[in-house]
Amino acid sequence: MTHVLILGGTAEARDLAAHLVAQGVPVTSSLAGRVSRPRLPEGPVRVGGFGGVGGLAAWLTEHDVTAVVDATHPFAGTMGNHAAQACSRLGLPLLRLARPGWQDHPDAGDWTWVTDHVAARDVADALGGTPFVTTGRQTLHHHTGAWAGREVVVRLVEPPADPLPAAWTVLRSRGPYDVAGERELMRTHGIGVLLTKDSGGRYTEAKLAAARDLGVPVVVVSRPPRPEGVTAVEDATAAAAWVASLG
Ligand SMILES: NC(=O)c1ccc[n+]([C@@H]2O[C@H](COP(=O)([O-])OP(=O)(O)OC[C@H]3O[C@@H](n4cnc5c(N)ncnc54)[C@H](OP(=O)(O)O)[C@@H]3O)[C@@H](O)[C@H]2O)c1
C-alpha cells in the first residue's frame, strides 16, 4: 500500500498534495510549524520537527511510508539533507520538488549574486542607500550588529524572533505582491538596494521588476547546495507522475 510523505511548507508541496488527494493516493504532508497561520495542504497534515535523521527514519517506518517528496523551500537545507539520509538508510525512493530559481529571469545578469548573507551585506554597503531586506527572519541576525545604527527596511511574514534595532522599519505581510505595489513601497521608503535570496517562483518576484523600473540594484543570495543523486522535478504534475511511476 502506497503512503507518500511530502515535506512541505511551500506552494509546490500544497499543489502536489492536492494532485495526490485527487488521485486517491494516500499522502501525509509535514510542516515545520514555524508559521502561526500556515496555508494548509489538502489531506492529512502533521506539524513539527521529527527530531533529526533518526526521528524522521522512525516516523517513516512507523507510518509505513513508501516514498518521500522533499518539497521544502530551496533555503531549507537541513530538512533536505535529513530526508536524503533517512531515505538512504531505509532504501526509500526520494524525490526533490523545487520551483526553478531566478537564474533565468531576464534581469538576472544585472544582479549581484553572492553565496551568503554577509557577502550580500558587504555588497549593499559598497552600493550605499537604504537596504530593503527580503531574505526572511532567520537571516536577520547576520545584519543586526553591523547595521544596528542605520536605516534598514525588512519585510517579514512572521514577527522577528528577537528585537530588531530601533532604526529599522519592519513591514509585515505575505505575498503574492504586484509590481505597482512593490514600486510604491520602494519609493515610499527611499530604498537604495534590494537584498533577496533566490527563492524563485511568482509569489515574490514582483520586487525584481519594481527594482529594475526604479534603477534599484539587486543583490541575490544563491541557493545552498542540495544532496547529490536525488531525482529532481520542478512542478507538482511531474512529481505526481513520479509517484505514479513507483506503482
Ligand atoms: N528557509 C526559508 O527561507 C523558508 C521559506 C518559506 C518556507 N519555508 C519552510 O519552512 C520550514 C522550515 O524552514 P527552515 O529553513 O527552518 O528549514 P531547515 O533549516 O531545513 O530545517 C530545520 C529543522 O526544521 C524541521 N523541519 C523543516 N522542515 C520541516 C518539515 N517540512 N516538516 C517537519 N519538520 C521540518 C526539521 O527539524 P527536525 O530535525 O527536528 O526534524 C529540520 O531539521 C520548511 O518546511 C520550509 O519548507 C522555509
Side-chain angles (χ1 to χ4, degrees):
M1 180 72 170
T2 303
H3 179 197
V4 179
L5 175 68
I6 302 174
L7 299 167
T10 58
E12 296 71 39
R14 290 189 294 276
D15 284 352
L16 176 59
H19 269 76
L20 296 183
V21 167
Q23 291 165 2
V25 177
V27 59
T28 301
S29 294
S30 176
L31 303 179
R34 303 273 154 72
V35 178
S36 48
R37 285 184 297 116
R39 293 187 175 106
L40 288 174
E42 288 180 36
V45 177
R46 67 161 299 286
V47 180
F50 295 93
V53 178
L56 175 59
W59 197 96
L60 295 171
T61 306
E62 274 166 33
H63 294 84
D64 296 320
V65 171
T66 53
V68 178
V69 179
D70 169 18
T72 54
H73 189 271
F75 283 81
T78 309
M79 193 69 249
N81 278 316
H82 288 183
Q85 289 178 59
C87 288
S88 152
R89 194 182 287 180
L90 299 174
L92 285 179
L94 171 65
L95 181 74
R96 171 73 180 141
L97 164 59
R99 68 190 86 149
W102 286 322
Q103 69 276 0
D104 295 326
H105 188 283
D107 301 332
D110 298 331
W111 307 331
T112 304
W113 290 80
V114 294
T115 53
D116 63 62
H117 298 279
V118 174
R121 192 182 71 233
D122 289 344
V123 175
D125 278 337
L127 289 165
T130 300
F132 179 27
V133 180
T134 64
T135 48
R137 74 174 167 162
Q138 293 184 72
T139 67
L140 297 181
H141 65 278
H142 293 294
H143 309 312
T144 42
W147 281 350
R150 68 170 297 184
E151 210 178 313
V152 173
V153 178
V154 297
R155 181 162 64 195
L156 303 173
V157 176
E158 292 290 306
D162 297 306
L164 296 176
W168 289 24
T169 301
V170 179
L171 309 174
R172 292 272 315 281
S173 68
R174 176 150 74 169
Y177 303 101
D178 62 36
V179 178
E182 296 291 64
R183 266 199 309 260
E184 180 60 25
L185 183 156
M186 289 190 206
R187 265 203 214 102
T188 304
H189 292 279
I191 297 304
V193 55
L194 169 65
L195 264 69
T196 188
K197 60 185 182 187
D198 185 17
S199 297
R202 292 252 167 96
Y203 269 47
T204 58
E205 75 174 356
K207 64 192 168 196
L208 302 168
R212 180 200 55 221
D213 293 350
L214 298 175
V216 168
V218 177
V219 186
V220 186
V221 179
S222 306
R223 293 179 173 193
R226 304 295 294 201
E228 286 179 11
V230 178
T231 304
V233 296
E234 294 186 341
D235 60 45
T237 308
W242 177 84
V243 170
S245 76
L246 299 174

